[in-house]
Amino acid sequence: MANSALMHTYGRLPVAFVEGKGAWLTDTDGKTYLDALAGIAVCGLGHAHPAVTQAISEQASRLIHTSNIYQVPLQEAAARKLSQLSGMDSIFFCNSGAEANEGAIKLARLHGHNKGIDIPHVLVMDNAFHGRTLATLTATGNRKVQIGFEPLVSGFVRSAYNDLAAATHLVEHNKSITAILVEPVQGEGGLTPATDEFMNGLRQLCDKHDLLLMLDEVQTGNGRTGYFYAYQRYDWKPDVLTTAKGLGNGFPIGAVMAHGKAANLFQPGHHGSTYGGTPLGSAVVLAVLETLEKEQLAKRAGELGARIVQEFTANFANINGVKAVRGRGLMMGIELDQPCGELVQLALEQGLLINVTAGQVVRLLPPLTLTDEEADLLISKLSQLIKNWLASRS
Ligand SMILES: *Cc1c(COP(=O)(O)O)cnc(C)c1O
């Protein structure tokens, strides 16, 4: 696109899609693709799910937007449903993942000021990804995201992921830390799940020092990892939980949620959003959540993901270039021993949509509605592709 009028922020693949259904996309030439990425963990219900289409078209024909200066009954209903499924007490709707994390960072600072800490800090992790706004790119643990945008936002301290001793040391020696922001599974950072020891330890650390434990579930949320929210594998709750991506199945909506002492931190005037929780967006959230629940898709994601990881593990058992196969539910990664970005284009040519993150991790985030047959196709096509590619390189 030499004369594109778009800012050149993405290196785009040479394909455009015109239609989708479930786990399948059709391009401008009529060729079909198995979508094992779902718009990067967004279309959990697959493309053109009838419940979402119906919610959008019915609500759009009735009322799209009023304002948060009025009562919005659909927003109340969406919040009640989300609260029930997430276990969180109060919810603020916004429009993206980065915006949800901005809300969380504001809560962390408010919590600090309420405790008399003038310059509160948030502890964040190496290899984290939290978004592209100034505060969230600062929180992100990847220099490539930050270079060129200095000065970064102050008020962040960084620690190593899955290193409880390091986090404990920092918290014990820095009384200005008022919150910890962490992904239960790092997505962009390479599909790395947190260890249970790390997560349980962070919860205890936050309890001991009166810090907010804030989980970024923008990617792990909404059924993706086998639970409605990934934290639900533990027997505790976070203080703050953010989500977006799968919450709207492609409609841009996010949420910052809070529990217990954090639930009433925001007071009138503290935060706002013109579009947060419009009647249209709220109708979509309700449709998505009700469908996830009715079709038991979190459970399905957990079971299907476990099978897929198991089969890839078996297929790559004697293959030297594959370092690890890992995942939680339908958030899966295949780590190779070398940069493998070119696999994306090779897969595309074969009608398969995948992604590579952190240089050498093949990332799979298929719709939660993926059928057993589609999973078999994904496993066989991708196993063969990776084996052939590795063989051609050695
Ligand atoms: C995608 C993502 C974000 C950013 O979400 P946007 O909607 O692109 O702003 C933040 N955190 C995590 C963990 C993500 O995966």
PDB file of all heavy atoms in Angstrom, residues 40 95-99 101 129-132 183 185 187-188 216-220 244-245 363, ligand 1:
ATOM      1  N   ILE A  40      -6.539 -11.677  17.619  1.00  0.00           N
ATOM      2  CA  ILE A  40      -5.732 -11.613  18.843  1.00  0.00           C
ATOM      3  C   ILE A  40      -6.626 -11.688  20.091  1.00  0.00           C
ATOM      4  O   ILE A  40      -6.772 -10.730  20.856  1.00  0.00           O
ATOM      5  CB  ILE A  40      -4.783 -10.396  18.873  1.00  0.00           C
ATOM      6  CG1 ILE A  40      -4.057 -10.270  17.513  1.00  0.00           C
ATOM      7  CG2 ILE A  40      -3.772 -10.530  20.015  1.00  0.00           C
ATOM      8  CD1 ILE A  40      -2.899  -9.307  17.475  1.00  0.00           C
ATOM      9  N   ASN A  95     -13.222   1.554  26.854  1.00  0.00           N
ATOM     10  CA  ASN A  95     -13.295   1.175  25.434  1.00  0.00           C
ATOM     11  C   ASN A  95     -12.152   0.314  24.922  1.00  0.00           C
ATOM     12  O   ASN A  95     -12.140  -0.047  23.754  1.00  0.00           O
ATOM     13  CB  ASN A  95     -13.377   2.442  24.575  1.00  0.00           C
ATOM     14  CG  ASN A  95     -14.437   3.385  25.111  1.00  0.00           C
ATOM     15  OD1 ASN A  95     -15.617   3.152  24.927  1.00  0.00           O
ATOM     16  ND2 ASN A  95     -14.016   4.413  25.817  1.00  0.00           N
ATOM     17  N   SER A  96     -11.179   0.009  25.762  1.00  0.00           N
ATOM     18  CA  SER A  96     -10.030  -0.778  25.296  1.00  0.00           C
ATOM     19  C   SER A  96      -9.270  -1.322  26.497  1.00  0.00           C
ATOM     20  O   SER A  96      -9.521  -0.918  27.653  1.00  0.00           O
ATOM     21  CB  SER A  96      -9.081   0.082  24.464  1.00  0.00           C
ATOM     22  OG  SER A  96      -8.426   1.024  25.298  1.00  0.00           O
ATOM     23  N   GLY A  97      -8.313  -2.183  26.195  1.00  0.00           N
ATOM     24  CA  GLY A  97      -7.488  -2.762  27.251  1.00  0.00           C
ATOM     25  C   GLY A  97      -6.587  -1.729  27.912  1.00  0.00           C
ATOM     26  O   GLY A  97      -6.469  -1.677  29.137  1.00  0.00           O
ATOM     27  N   ALA A  98      -5.942  -0.916  27.088  1.00  0.00           N
ATOM     28  CA  ALA A  98      -5.051   0.102  27.638  1.00  0.00           C
ATOM     29  C   ALA A  98      -5.822   1.043  28.554  1.00  0.00           C
ATOM     30  O   ALA A  98      -5.350   1.417  29.635  1.00  0.00           O
ATOM     31  CB  ALA A  98      -4.394   0.889  26.503  1.00  0.00           C
ATOM     32  N   GLU A  99      -7.024   1.390  28.135  1.00  0.00           N
ATOM     33  CA  GLU A  99      -7.836   2.303  28.935  1.00  0.00           C
ATOM     34  C   GLU A  99      -8.260   1.660  30.258  1.00  0.00           C
ATOM     35  O   GLU A  99      -8.309   2.338  31.292  1.00  0.00           O
ATOM     36  CB  GLU A  99      -9.087   2.643  28.128  1.00  0.00           C
ATOM     37  CG  GLU A  99      -9.431   4.088  28.088  1.00  0.00           C
ATOM     38  CD  GLU A  99     -10.747   4.276  27.378  1.00  0.00           C
ATOM     39  OE1 GLU A  99     -10.815   4.016  26.158  1.00  0.00           O
ATOM     40  OE2 GLU A  99     -11.708   4.658  28.055  1.00  0.00           O
ATOM     41  N   ASN A 101      -6.468  -0.507  31.851  1.00  0.00           N
ATOM     42  CA  ASN A 101      -5.274  -0.478  32.701  1.00  0.00           C
ATOM     43  C   ASN A 101      -4.978   0.927  33.214  1.00  0.00           C
ATOM     44  O   ASN A 101      -4.486   1.091  34.329  1.00  0.00           O
ATOM     45  CB  ASN A 101      -4.071  -1.044  31.940  1.00  0.00           C
ATOM     46  CG  ASN A 101      -4.173  -2.554  31.784  1.00  0.00           C
ATOM     47  OD1 ASN A 101      -4.778  -3.229  32.621  1.00  0.00           O
ATOM     48  ND2 ASN A 101      -3.601  -3.089  30.722  1.00  0.00           N
ATOM     49  N   PHE A 129       2.985  -6.830  28.988  1.00  0.00           N
ATOM     50  CA  PHE A 129       2.369  -5.927  28.009  1.00  0.00           C
ATOM     51  C   PHE A 129       1.068  -5.391  28.590  1.00  0.00           C
ATOM     52  O   PHE A 129       0.200  -6.159  28.993  1.00  0.00           O
ATOM     53  CB  PHE A 129       2.079  -6.622  26.674  1.00  0.00           C
ATOM     54  CG  PHE A 129       1.529  -5.655  25.655  1.00  0.00           C
ATOM     55  CD1 PHE A 129       2.372  -4.804  24.957  1.00  0.00           C
ATOM     56  CD2 PHE A 129       0.158  -5.543  25.447  1.00  0.00           C
ATOM     57  CE1 PHE A 129       1.870  -3.868  24.060  1.00  0.00           C
ATOM     58  CE2 PHE A 129      -0.354  -4.612  24.551  1.00  0.00           C
ATOM     59  CZ  PHE A 129       0.505  -3.776  23.856  1.00  0.00           C
ATOM     60  N   HIS A 130       0.969  -4.061  28.646  1.00  0.00           N
ATOM     61  CA  HIS A 130      -0.234  -3.463  29.230  1.00  0.00           C
ATOM     62  C   HIS A 130      -0.897  -2.438  28.323  1.00  0.00           C
ATOM     63  O   HIS A 130      -1.935  -1.884  28.700  1.00  0.00           O
ATOM     64  CB  HIS A 130       0.092  -2.835  30.585  1.00  0.00           C
ATOM     65  CG  HIS A 130       0.544  -3.825  31.613  1.00  0.00           C
ATOM     66  ND1 HIS A 130      -0.248  -4.881  32.025  1.00  0.00           N
ATOM     67  CD2 HIS A 130       1.714  -3.956  32.284  1.00  0.00           C
ATOM     68  CE1 HIS A 130       0.413  -5.607  32.927  1.00  0.00           C
ATOM     69  NE2 HIS A 130       1.602  -5.075  33.098  1.00  0.00           N
ATOM     70  N   GLY A 131      -0.314  -2.153  27.134  1.00  0.00           N
ATOM     71  CA  GLY A 131      -0.973  -1.230  26.223  1.00  0.00           C
ATOM     72  C   GLY A 131      -0.033  -0.175  25.668  1.00  0.00           C
ATOM     73  O   GLY A 131       1.174  -0.206  25.914  1.00  0.00           O
ATOM     74  N   ARG A 132      -0.592   0.774  24.923  1.00  0.00           N
ATOM     75  CA  ARG A 132       0.206   1.734  24.156  1.00  0.00           C
ATOM     76  C   ARG A 132      -0.026   3.187  24.546  1.00  0.00           C
ATOM     77  O   ARG A 132       0.472   4.088  23.859  1.00  0.00           O
ATOM     78  CB  ARG A 132      -0.123   1.567  22.664  1.00  0.00           C
ATOM     79  CG  ARG A 132       0.206   0.181  22.124  1.00  0.00           C
ATOM     80  CD  ARG A 132       1.692   0.010  21.940  1.00  0.00           C
ATOM     81  NE  ARG A 132       1.975  -1.101  21.049  1.00  0.00           N
ATOM     82  CZ  ARG A 132       3.086  -1.178  20.301  1.00  0.00           C
ATOM     83  NH1 ARG A 132       3.972  -0.233  20.333  1.00  0.00           N
ATOM     84  NH2 ARG A 132       3.287  -2.226  19.544  1.00  0.00           N
ATOM     85  N   GLU A 183       0.047  -9.831  34.693  1.00  0.00           N
ATOM     86  CA  GLU A 183      -0.786 -10.704  33.857  1.00  0.00           C
ATOM     87  C   GLU A 183      -0.718 -12.137  34.406  1.00  0.00           C
ATOM     88  O   GLU A 183       0.384 -12.642  34.618  1.00  0.00           O
ATOM     89  CB  GLU A 183      -0.254 -10.733  32.415  1.00  0.00           C
ATOM     90  CG  GLU A 183      -0.314  -9.424  31.668  1.00  0.00           C
ATOM     91  CD  GLU A 183       0.716  -9.398  30.527  1.00  0.00           C
ATOM     92  OE1 GLU A 183       0.396  -9.833  29.418  1.00  0.00           O
ATOM     93  OE2 GLU A 183       1.849  -8.959  30.777  1.00  0.00           O
ATOM     94  N   VAL A 185      -1.211 -14.812  32.752  1.00  0.00           N
ATOM     95  CA  VAL A 185      -0.404 -15.475  31.723  1.00  0.00           C
ATOM     96  C   VAL A 185       0.097 -14.334  30.831  1.00  0.00           C
ATOM     97  O   VAL A 185      -0.723 -13.561  30.329  1.00  0.00           O
ATOM     98  CB  VAL A 185      -1.232 -16.447  30.846  1.00  0.00           C
ATOM     99  CG1 VAL A 185      -0.330 -17.167  29.837  1.00  0.00           C
ATOM    100  CG2 VAL A 185      -1.999 -17.460  31.698  1.00  0.00           C
ATOM    101  N   GLY A 187       0.892 -12.708  27.601  1.00  0.00           N
ATOM    102  CA  GLY A 187       0.529 -13.013  26.226  1.00  0.00           C
ATOM    103  C   GLY A 187       1.584 -12.530  25.248  1.00  0.00           C
ATOM    104  O   GLY A 187       2.372 -13.319  24.720  1.00  0.00           O
ATOM    105  N   GLU A 188       1.656 -11.216  25.039  1.00  0.00           N
ATOM    106  CA  GLU A 188       2.653 -10.651  24.112  1.00  0.00           C
ATOM    107  C   GLU A 188       4.065 -11.050  24.515  1.00  0.00           C
ATOM    108  O   GLU A 188       4.939 -11.210  23.670  1.00  0.00           O
ATOM    109  CB  GLU A 188       2.566  -9.112  24.102  1.00  0.00           C
ATOM    110  CG  GLU A 188       1.195  -8.527  23.915  1.00  0.00           C
ATOM    111  CD  GLU A 188       0.607  -8.812  22.555  1.00  0.00           C
ATOM    112  OE1 GLU A 188       1.316  -8.621  21.553  1.00  0.00           O
ATOM    113  OE2 GLU A 188      -0.552  -9.250  22.516  1.00  0.00           O
ATOM    114  N   ASP A 216      -4.073  -7.860  35.065  1.00  0.00           N
ATOM    115  CA  ASP A 216      -4.403  -7.484  33.691  1.00  0.00           C
ATOM    116  C   ASP A 216      -4.901  -8.746  32.980  1.00  0.00           C
ATOM    117  O   ASP A 216      -4.110  -9.604  32.594  1.00  0.00           O
ATOM    118  CB  ASP A 216      -3.170  -6.911  32.999  1.00  0.00           C
ATOM    119  CG  ASP A 216      -3.435  -6.531  31.534  1.00  0.00           C
ATOM    120  OD1 ASP A 216      -4.458  -6.992  30.977  1.00  0.00           O
ATOM    121  OD2 ASP A 216      -2.617  -5.792  30.954  1.00  0.00           O
ATOM    122  N   GLU A 217      -6.222  -8.849  32.874  1.00  0.00           N
ATOM    123  CA  GLU A 217      -6.834  -9.991  32.186  1.00  0.00           C
ATOM    124  C   GLU A 217      -7.447  -9.551  30.859  1.00  0.00           C
ATOM    125  O   GLU A 217      -8.485 -10.069  30.425  1.00  0.00           O
ATOM    126  CB  GLU A 217      -7.881 -10.662  33.094  1.00  0.00           C
ATOM    127  CG  GLU A 217      -7.262 -11.310  34.340  1.00  0.00           C
ATOM    128  CD  GLU A 217      -7.772 -12.714  34.581  1.00  0.00           C
ATOM    129  OE1 GLU A 217      -8.097 -13.414  33.594  1.00  0.00           O
ATOM    130  OE2 GLU A 217      -7.871 -13.090  35.765  1.00  0.00           O
ATOM    131  N   VAL A 218      -6.803  -8.587  30.231  1.00  0.00           N
ATOM    132  CA  VAL A 218      -7.290  -8.117  28.933  1.00  0.00           C
ATOM    133  C   VAL A 218      -7.301  -9.284  27.937  1.00  0.00           C
ATOM    134  O   VAL A 218      -8.257  -9.458  27.167  1.00  0.00           O
ATOM    135  CB  VAL A 218      -6.433  -6.939  28.418  1.00  0.00           C
ATOM    136  CG1 VAL A 218      -6.797  -6.588  26.977  1.00  0.00           C
ATOM    137  CG2 VAL A 218      -6.624  -5.721  29.319  1.00  0.00           C
ATOM    138  N   GLN A 219      -6.244 -10.096  27.986  1.00  0.00           N
ATOM    139  CA  GLN A 219      -6.143 -11.223  27.052  1.00  0.00           C
ATOM    140  C   GLN A 219      -6.600 -12.539  27.676  1.00  0.00           C
ATOM    141  O   GLN A 219      -7.204 -13.372  27.002  1.00  0.00           O
ATOM    142  CB  GLN A 219      -4.683 -11.340  26.570  1.00  0.00           C
ATOM    143  CG  GLN A 219      -4.487 -12.268  25.401  1.00  0.00           C
ATOM    144  CD  GLN A 219      -3.137 -12.105  24.688  1.00  0.00           C
ATOM    145  OE1 GLN A 219      -2.617 -13.054  24.133  1.00  0.00           O
ATOM    146  NE2 GLN A 219      -2.564 -10.922  24.678  1.00  0.00           N
ATOM    147  N   THR A 220      -6.325 -12.738  28.973  1.00  0.00           N
ATOM    148  CA  THR A 220      -6.648 -14.023  29.625  1.00  0.00           C
ATOM    149  C   THR A 220      -8.122 -14.128  30.007  1.00  0.00           C
ATOM    150  O   THR A 220      -8.579 -15.232  30.331  1.00  0.00           O
ATOM    151  CB  THR A 220      -5.818 -14.208  30.909  1.00  0.00           C
ATOM    152  OG1 THR A 220      -6.014 -13.065  31.754  1.00  0.00           O
ATOM    153  CG2 THR A 220      -4.335 -14.347  30.606  1.00  0.00           C
ATOM    154  N   ALA A 244     -10.760  -6.628  28.429  1.00  0.00           N
ATOM    155  CA  ALA A 244     -11.253  -5.987  27.195  1.00  0.00           C
ATOM    156  C   ALA A 244     -11.365  -7.115  26.164  1.00  0.00           C
ATOM    157  O   ALA A 244     -12.105  -8.060  26.393  1.00  0.00           O
ATOM    158  CB  ALA A 244     -10.318  -4.869  26.729  1.00  0.00           C
ATOM    159  N   LYS A 245     -10.617  -7.039  25.080  1.00  0.00           N
ATOM    160  CA  LYS A 245     -10.573  -8.062  24.031  1.00  0.00           C
ATOM    161  C   LYS A 245     -11.846  -8.919  23.923  1.00  0.00           C
ATOM    162  O   LYS A 245     -12.802  -8.477  23.299  1.00  0.00           O
ATOM    163  CB  LYS A 245      -9.310  -8.922  24.190  1.00  0.00           C
ATOM    164  CG  LYS A 245      -8.025  -8.096  23.892  1.00  0.00           C
ATOM    165  CD  LYS A 245      -6.835  -8.953  23.540  1.00  0.00           C
ATOM    166  CE  LYS A 245      -5.714  -8.117  22.941  1.00  0.00           C
ATOM    167  NZ  LYS A 245      -4.642  -7.760  23.859  1.00  0.00           N
ATOM    168  N   ARG A 363       2.064 -18.276  18.493  1.00  0.00           N
ATOM    169  CA  ARG A 363       0.971 -17.993  19.431  1.00  0.00           C
ATOM    170  C   ARG A 363      -0.357 -18.404  18.820  1.00  0.00           C
ATOM    171  O   ARG A 363      -0.692 -18.002  17.700  1.00  0.00           O
ATOM    172  CB  ARG A 363       0.968 -16.505  19.760  1.00  0.00           C
ATOM    173  CG  ARG A 363      -0.271 -16.074  20.523  1.00  0.00           C
ATOM    174  CD  ARG A 363      -0.093 -14.799  21.268  1.00  0.00           C
ATOM    175  NE  ARG A 363       0.069 -13.621  20.423  1.00  0.00           N
ATOM    176  CZ  ARG A 363      -0.168 -12.384  20.863  1.00  0.00           C
ATOM    177  NH1 ARG A 363      -0.560 -12.199  22.105  1.00  0.00           N
ATOM    178  NH2 ARG A 363      -0.005 -11.361  20.073  1.00  0.00           N
TER     179      ARG A 363
HETATM  180  C1  LIG B   1      -4.019  -6.386  24.150  1.00  0.00           C
HETATM  181  C2  LIG B   1      -3.581  -6.152  25.557  1.00  0.00           C
HETATM  182  C3  LIG B   1      -3.635  -4.866  26.125  1.00  0.00           C
HETATM  183  C4  LIG B   1      -4.005  -3.629  25.330  1.00  0.00           C
HETATM  184  O1  LIG B   1      -5.319  -3.672  24.897  1.00  0.00           O
HETATM  185  P1  LIG B   1      -5.826  -2.583  23.809  1.00  0.00           P
HETATM  186  O2  LIG B   1      -7.291  -2.864  23.688  1.00  0.00           O
HETATM  187  O3  LIG B   1      -5.061  -2.844  22.560  1.00  0.00           O
HETATM  188  O4  LIG B   1      -5.532  -1.247  24.358  1.00  0.00           O
HETATM  189  C5  LIG B   1      -3.294  -4.739  27.465  1.00  0.00           C
HETATM  190  N1  LIG B   1      -2.925  -5.800  28.197  1.00  0.00           N
HETATM  191  C6  LIG B   1      -2.855  -7.046  27.685  1.00  0.00           C
HETATM  192  C7  LIG B   1      -2.455  -8.179  28.562  1.00  0.00           C
HETATM  193  C8  LIG B   1      -3.175  -7.263  26.342  1.00  0.00           C
HETATM  194  O5  LIG B   1      -3.080  -8.488  25.824  1.00  0.00           O
END
